[in-house]
């Protein structure tokens, strides 16, 4: 096992793990920080409803969710969250423009068949979209590929290449380029590694090397 | 010798207590009896529960253009209405259901049809909510329907009863709810045809419904479902004892036709895996085939039993009218062919909070029907939850012990109660 291979924490979600022991995952906390209290929020791929429940409780939002897995949906609805079983790639098109103040897509864009279409829909349905993406340009990943010559497997991306649901990896640089092409404005961003914030500038060279993931507040231009 | 079914010959498996208690001879007699005793399914006046006369000042205008009134609505309530009348839940029953949600049925003696879901401490908690359920108009358990006396003629309505729709049923329920002094229902819940009524409530009276739980239902009756209903109706009408709908006057009852209608319908409520699990090819109280048309198989015996017990409690003309009401149901059709439009009023999406549930093995109201409703609700950015429950029990699953489904209803109602400002569970005095 490579010293960089910290995949011991088995992942059941697209991205594994609970970033910190107390409360919600680190990146979910960053997302929550971007949400205005009392707003209307759609969480796409809401999992077991952790973020929605947190936003309901802490920010008094009117929250809804879409989740692919039935287990996740059951857990959500059984705790009183408004969640439907559905697929972001087919169901987002039904929603009218500006139906929500925020549409959240947390660590899932890379698992979409058509990430660009999904991103279009997110910024259409929401007045703002909050998207978090893992950075494939993160130095540990670059180094792992360079040194071992094999597809990187990390704590946050804990899948072998043949089993990963993450079929469309990108770097922060790639993501920023796509938003520019699509005329989407990045209103705010937070680039973080496992210990905390790296930079608030998506274009910074550090971001693409030192950031393990990026959280972006987006608005169509 | 019948080597193919050897295991069945060796160990005949009884399928259920109810079926075991009926010997094949009894079934055969009942199925082929030329003129069964004429017994009214239930005399409205002697039934338990409440009854109210509505449409007295002004008759109720029906979708057909006809008018009905005054008319009776039979209903039951459970729990206590709170001071600001905000904790009422209306339950809408299915095609052959009635308002005895928790009571022992006055005709069959069976326990309430939704005791799994409704009751003290249950997901629809009668310690907390005031639960109302009424018999639909056109029904035969106390509400005005074809077997009741037409005041204009002094005779049973029969086919002179006006054709009613799901919209008309809901209109009558609205009058009842107003009669009870309730401005807004906390929730309307129902499965199958009950689910259609739930949808109709949300569409027709969005301000009067805080939350809606349509279960195993559809926004329109499919061609296949209309086809099954037509088989049932033809079975009834082909029975000479139906007497052109005048059997009550003629002193006959179309038991055979109605039983066949029920048998055909009952198949659609189950699923192939459930039928196989319950009955397989097992023989009924016999060691080998009779090489005749007796009920050799348990599944035949079971269906005959379903048919026979049904005719004891249900009126054949009611069956015609209520199946027709379901056939006519088409929410999109009522709104320029657009289902989202049904959930839109004055350019705004419906304020009603929805929770839809479907069952994976339900082929009568498959998940795709619920999903179509969810998509329409998404199109108006409505507040909606949707769950498909994995089960092999078919359409009937909504009436059965499905813990996951019950958890979902409980969670949804609790979430809604919080938003509605309903206090936590009422404490016993």
């Amino acid at each position: 096992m490579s010293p960089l291979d910290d995949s011991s924490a088995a992942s059941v979600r697209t991205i594994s793990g609970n970033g910190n022991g107390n409360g919600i995952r680190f990146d979910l906390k960053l997302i929550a920080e971007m949400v205005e209290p009392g707003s209307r929020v759609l969480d796409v791929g809401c999992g077991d409803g952790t973020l929605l429940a947190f936003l309901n409780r802490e920010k008094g939002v009117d929250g809804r969710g879409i989740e692919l897995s039935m287990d996740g949906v059951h857990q959500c609805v059984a705790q009183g969250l408004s969640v439907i079983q559905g697929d972001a790639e087919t169901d987002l098109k039904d929603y009218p423009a500006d139906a929500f103040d925020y549409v959240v897509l947390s660590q899932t864009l890379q698992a979409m068949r058509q990430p660009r279409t999904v991103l279009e829909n997110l910024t259409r349905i929401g007045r703002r979209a909050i998207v978090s993406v893992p950075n494939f340009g993160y130095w540990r990943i670059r180094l792992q590929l360079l040194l071992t010559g094999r597809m990187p497997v990390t704590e946050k991306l804990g899948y072998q290449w043949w089993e990963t649901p993450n079929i469309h990896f990108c770097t922060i640089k790639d993501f920023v380029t796509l938003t520019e092409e699509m005329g989407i404005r990045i209103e705010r961003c937070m680039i973080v590694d496992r210990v905390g914030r790296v930079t608030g500038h998506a274009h910074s060279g550090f971001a693409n090397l030192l950031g393990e993931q990026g959280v972006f507040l987006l608005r169509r231009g | 010798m019948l080597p193919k079914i050897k295991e069945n010959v060796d160990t005949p498996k009884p399928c259920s207590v109810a079926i075991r208690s009926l010997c094949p001879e009894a079934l055969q007699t009942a199925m082929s009896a030329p003129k069964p005793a004429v017994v009214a399914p239930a005399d409205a006046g002697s039934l338990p529960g409440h009854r109210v006369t509505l449409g007295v000042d002004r008759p109720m205008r029906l979708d057909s253009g006809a008018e009905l009134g005054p008319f009776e609505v039979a209903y039951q309530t459970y729990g206590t209405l709170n001071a600001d009348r905000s904790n009422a839940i209306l339950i809408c029953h299915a095609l052959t259901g009635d308002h005895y949600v928790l009571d022992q049925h006055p005709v069959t003696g069976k326990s309430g049809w939704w005791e799994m879901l409704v009751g003290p401490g249950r997901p629809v908690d009668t310690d907390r909510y005031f639960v109302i359920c009424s018999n639909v108009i056109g029904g035969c358990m106390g509400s005005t329907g074809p077997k009741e006396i037409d005041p204009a003629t002094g005779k049973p309505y029969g086919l002179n009863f006006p054709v009613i729709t799901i919209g008309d049923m809901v209109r009558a329920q609205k009058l009842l709810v107003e009669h009870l002094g309730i401005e807004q229902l906390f929730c309307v819940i129902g499965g199958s045809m009950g689910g259609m009524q739930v949808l109709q409530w949300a569409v027709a009276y969005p301000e009067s419904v805080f939350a809606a739980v349509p279960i195993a239902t559809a926004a329109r009756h499919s061609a296949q479902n209309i086809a099954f209903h037509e088989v049932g109706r033809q079975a009834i009408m082909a029975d000479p004892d139906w007497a052109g709908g005048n059997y009550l006057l003629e002193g006959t009852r179309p038991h055979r036709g109605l039983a066949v209608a029920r048998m055909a319908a009952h198949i659609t409520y189950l699923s192939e895996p459930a039928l196989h699990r319950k009955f397989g090819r097992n023989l009924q109280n016999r060691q080998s085939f009779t090489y005749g048309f007796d009920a050799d198989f348990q599944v035949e015996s079971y269906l005959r039993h379903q048919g026979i017990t049904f005719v004891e409690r249900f009126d054949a003309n009611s069956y015609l009218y209520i199946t027709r009401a379901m056939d006519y149901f088409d929410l999109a059709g009522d709104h320029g062919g657009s289902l989202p439009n049904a959930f839109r009023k004055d350019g705004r999406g419906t304020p009603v909070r929805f929770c839809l549930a479907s069952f994976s093995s339900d082929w009568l109201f498959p998940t795709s029907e619920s999903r179509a409703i969810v998509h329409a609700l998404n199109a108006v950015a409505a507040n909606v939850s949707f769950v498909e429950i994995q089960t092999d029990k078919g359409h009937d699953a909504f009436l059965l012990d499905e813990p996951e489904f019950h958890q979902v209803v409980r969670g949804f109602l609790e979430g809604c109660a919080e938003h509605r400002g309903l206090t936590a569970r009422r404490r016993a005095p």
Side-chain angles (χ1 to χ4, degrees):
Chain A
M1 190 189 268
S2 134
L4 298 172
D5 183 356
D6 46 9
S7 63
S8 50
S11 168
V12 287
R13 284 187 59 138
T14 314
I15 292 286
S16 73
N18 193 340
N20 50 6
N22 50 355
I24 62 168
R25 224 169 59 197
F26 179 49
D27 62 302
L28 295 183
K29 224 167 212 170
L30 295 179
I31 290 168
E33 271 176 33
M34 293 186 177
V35 172
E36 290 290 324
S39 52
R40 285 161 63 89
V41 179
L42 176 67
D43 186 0
V44 181
C46 60
D48 61 5
T50 306
L51 176 66
L52 273 180
F54 181 82
L55 288 173
N56 277 348
R57 199 172 58 238
E58 302 293 323
K59 300 246 174 167
V61 304
D62 175 6
R64 324 277 174 81
I66 301 181
E67 170 57 30
L68 194 57
S69 85
M70 264 304 162
D71 275 353
V73 176
H74 288 161
Q75 287 180 48
C76 290
V77 180
Q79 58 176 307
L81 300 170
S82 300
V83 171
I84 62 166
Q85 195 278 330
D87 183 344
E89 306 215 55
T90 54
D91 294 351
L92 287 180
K93 64 172 172 17
D94 296 322
Y95 291 89
D98 292 337
F100 297 92
D101 296 314
Y102 300 95
V103 180
V104 175
L105 186 72
S106 154
Q107 305 279 12
T108 315
L109 193 65
Q110 76 283 353
M112 299 287 168
R113 288 185 300 279
Q114 303 278 348
R116 186 179 170 135
T117 311
V118 170
L119 205 52
E120 255 164 26
N121 271 321
L122 296 179
T123 48
R124 179 183 64 81
I125 298 167
R127 294 197 303 108
R128 287 185 173 81
I130 302 173
V131 178
S132 70
V133 288
N135 177 23
F136 210 66
Y138 181 48
W139 68 271
R140 281 174 184 263
I141 291 178
R142 294 192 202 195
L143 205 57
Q144 203 176 113
L145 183 59
L146 185 71
L147 295 181
T148 68
R150 300 186 60 183
M151 284 302 283
V153 179
T154 67
E155 182 191 344
K156 292 243 185 301
L157 303 171
Y159 292 100
Q160 293 292 338
W161 66 272
W162 43 267
E163 61 178 359
T164 182
N166 302 319
I167 53 176
H168 282 121
F169 274 127
C170 66
T171 66
I172 285 178
K173 209 168 174 179
D174 290 326
F175 182 78
V176 170
T177 307
L178 179 62
T179 58
E180 282 165 357
E181 270 178 40
M182 293 173 67
I184 292 171
R185 244 184 15 236
I186 298 177
E187 289 200 335
R188 206 178 147 194
C189 94
M190 279 190 262
I191 309 295
V192 293
D193 67 6
R194 62 192 59 185
V195 288
R197 188 177 131 140
V198 172
T199 171
H201 298 285
H203 292 86
S204 139
F206 287 123
N208 205 29
L209 186 63
L210 302 179
E212 191 170 23
Q213 57 175 314
V215 184
F216 301 88
L217 181 67
L218 306 172
R219 184 172 203 170
R220 61 180 181 276
Chain B
M1 281 297 288
L2 295 162
K4 271 189 201 164
I5 54 157
K6 187 108 185 3
E7 68 274 26
N8 294 340
V9 173
D10 289 344
T11 54
K13 291 175 192 150
C15 48
S16 81
V17 177
I19 296 166
R20 254 181 299 169
S21 66
L22 284 159
C23 66
E25 291 72 29
L27 286 162
Q28 191 59 32
T29 311
M31 289 305 293
S32 56
K35 285 222 170 179
V38 178
V39 185
D43 174 19
S46 64
L47 291 171
H50 315 282
R51 214 156 170 243
V52 60
T53 307
L54 299 168
V56 178
D57 301 335
R58 199 155 42 104
M60 185 172 77
R61 185 147 177 101
L62 304 173
D63 282 333
S64 67
E67 288 185 333
L68 183 66
F71 63 92
E72 309 278 323
V73 169
Y75 66 100
Q76 260 306 21
T77 68
Y78 310 93
T80 311
L81 189 62
N82 64 8
D84 53 358
R85 296 164 189 257
S86 60
N87 69 334
I89 294 183
L90 178 71
I91 289 180
C92 302
H93 69 71
L95 167 58
T96 64
D98 48 51
H99 48 299
Y100 299 113
V101 178
L102 293 185
D103 303 76
Q104 191 183 36
H105 195 278
V107 178
T108 65
K110 283 187 183 166
S111 52
W113 60 270
W114 228 358
E115 280 184 350
M116 292 279 180
L117 189 77
V118 186
R122 297 278 180 180
V124 180
D125 188 348
T126 49
D127 283 344
R128 184 173 186 188
Y129 307 114
F130 177 60
V131 173
I132 309 161
C133 183
S134 68
N135 185 213
V136 295
I137 55 163
C140 51
M141 287 303 287
S143 291
T144 296
K147 88 173 171 62
E148 303 301 326
I149 302 296
D150 180 356
T153 63
K155 295 176 190 166
Y157 278 102
L159 293 193
N160 289 326
F161 192 75
V163 168
I164 43 129
T165 64
I166 299 292
D168 296 329
M169 293 174 182
V170 167
R171 220 165 269 140
Q173 289 164 359
K174 179 76 163 69
L175 291 176
L176 169 66
V177 167
E178 282 168 6
H179 163 78
L180 295 173
I182 296 160
E183 206 168 300
Q184 189 192 47
L185 291 164
F186 168 60
C187 189
V188 188
I189 305 180
S192 196
M193 184 183 86
M196 290 178 166
Q197 295 164 58
V198 172
L199 293 170
Q200 179 68 30
W201 259 99
V203 166
Y205 310 108
E207 300 81 15
S208 305
V209 182
F210 185 76
V213 184
I215 302 154
T217 192
R220 80 214 186 326
H221 215 217
S222 69
Q224 178 172 269
N225 289 1
I226 295 170
F228 275 115
H229 275 176
E230 176 60 3
V231 170
R233 286 190 294 261
Q234 288 300 329
I236 290 167
M237 294 190 283
D239 186 334
D241 287 339
W242 180 61
N246 292 322
Y247 49 88
L248 291 177
L249 288 173
E250 303 279 327
T252 59
R253 292 291 301 285
H255 275 164
R256 286 165 299 177
L258 184 58
V260 171
R262 176 63 168 182
M263 289 166 77
H266 197 80
I267 299 167
T268 68
Y269 303 152
L270 307 173
S271 71
E272 200 279 330
L275 278 176
H276 187 78
R277 177 166 47 77
K278 255 177 143 170
F279 307 113
R281 291 181 48 83
N282 297 342
L283 298 184
Q284 176 67 24
N285 296 343
R286 64 200 62 192
Q287 303 299 310
S288 58
F289 293 163
T290 62
Y291 292 100
F293 298 102
D294 202 1
D296 277 0
F297 293 98
Q298 284 183 358
V299 66
E300 294 174 287
S301 164
Y302 169 75
L303 275 185
R304 289 182 182 192
H305 172 71
Q306 291 296 328
I308 293 160
T309 50
F310 182 60
V311 301
E312 289 168 11
R313 68 175 180 91
F314 216 82
D315 175 63
N317 282 338
S318 267
Y319 196 84
L320 301 183
Y321 276 88
I322 300 177
T323 54
R324 205 56 175 154
M326 290 178 76
D327 292 351
Y328 282 154
F329 189 64
D330 180 5
L331 276 183
D334 296 344
H335 293 82
S338 156
L339 191 52
N341 274 351
F343 299 109
R344 213 176 262 141
K345 208 170 187 181
D346 308 323
R348 295 177 67 103
T350 176
V352 180
R353 306 169 78 91
F354 285 85
C355 179
L356 288 94
S358 68
F359 299 92
S360 56
S361 54
D362 183 350
W363 54 280
L364 193 62
F365 289 93
T367 292
S368 55
E369 298 281 4
S370 289
R371 215 177 271 284
I373 300 166
V374 170
H375 287 171
L377 288 166
N378 284 346
V380 300
N383 192 315
V384 50
S385 295
F386 164 58
V387 176
E388 183 193 46
I389 307 292
Q390 294 298 317
T391 172
D392 77 346
K393 291 176 189 155
H395 184 59
D396 259 355
F398 81 92
L399 297 168
L400 303 173
D401 186 18
E402 290 285 346
E404 223 169 7
F405 164 56
H406 297 162
Q407 268 169 25
V408 161
V409 172
R410 185 189 293 275
F412 174 73
L413 286 180
E414 274 172 15
C416 288
E418 206 171 299
H419 282 276
R420 183 69 183 83
L422 292 181
T423 46
R425 195 174 157 178
R426 192 171 57 86
R427 292 166 70 116

